[in-house]
Amino acid sequence: MIVTTTGFAAPHSGAPDPDEVLSTRLRDLALVDLDALTVGSTDPQGLVAVFADDVADALREARTRIAALRGTLGGPDPLNILDLPSRQRASDTAQAGAVRVREKLASHAEAARSLARLSELAASLTPKLFEADRRR
């Protein structure tokens, strides 16, 4: 069983959230009750196995995306401008640096929000995988 959901939500920037489809998939799978899923089934173990495979696939996708988001948080500290003399920060040519720092910090914040959301969703889904694996 593969659950596919499409949809777009607009984050603060007005652009579609690239993680919305994955987030929805993780949320939907976390809502599945295995007892309700297998009621009346002639092959409950097969159904549970398909569900477990779908959950594992969704968690693998989340793992890949979480790793990518963590990678965007790396690099030099954008606030290293605090180590510069105030004269240098106050110069006319430093204005472009201020814009870069603001954009980098905003990018970090957006990535951190996405990372937190996907991590929380994956955390709520992981017990379902363990439960499904016990029932296989």
Side-chain angles (χ1 to χ4, degrees):
M1 166 186 6
I2 296 179
V3 176
T4 304
T5 307
T6 59
F8 295 98
H12 305 291
S13 66
D17 181 357
D19 299 322
E20 186 60 30
V21 173
L22 176 57
S23 296
T24 301
R25 183 178 181 203
L26 294 169
R27 261 187 238 109
D28 289 350
L29 287 168
L31 292 174
V32 173
D33 179 88
L34 285 175
D35 290 330
L37 180 67
T38 58
V39 167
S41 173
T42 58
D43 183 18
Q45 283 186 322
L47 197 53
V48 168
V50 170
F51 173 75
D53 291 343
D54 196 22
V55 169
D57 182 62
L59 288 172
R60 273 191 289 278
E61 189 177 340
R63 178 185 190 189
T64 300
R65 181 66 179 139
I66 287 169
L69 288 166
R70 269 199 304 246
T72 64
L73 295 174
D77 176 12
L79 290 176
N80 63 4
I81 49 102
L82 295 172
D83 298 334
L84 299 174
S86 61
R87 274 192 350 247
Q88 194 172 355
R89 288 192 307 265
S91 72
D92 290 337
T93 58
Q95 193 61 23
V99 170
R100 277 194 311 275
V101 168
R102 186 188 74 224
E103 289 172 353
K104 186 64 173 175
L105 288 170
S107 171
H108 278 186
E110 188 63 37
R113 281 189 289 274
S114 293
L115 176 65
R117 184 177 59 250
L118 289 175
S119 294
E120 185 174 359
L121 290 169
S124 69
L125 182 57
T126 303
K128 296 280 186 179
L129 178 63
F130 282 77
E131 181 183 353
D133 282 342
R134 279 191 304 273
R135 292 186 184 202
R136 280 189 192 215

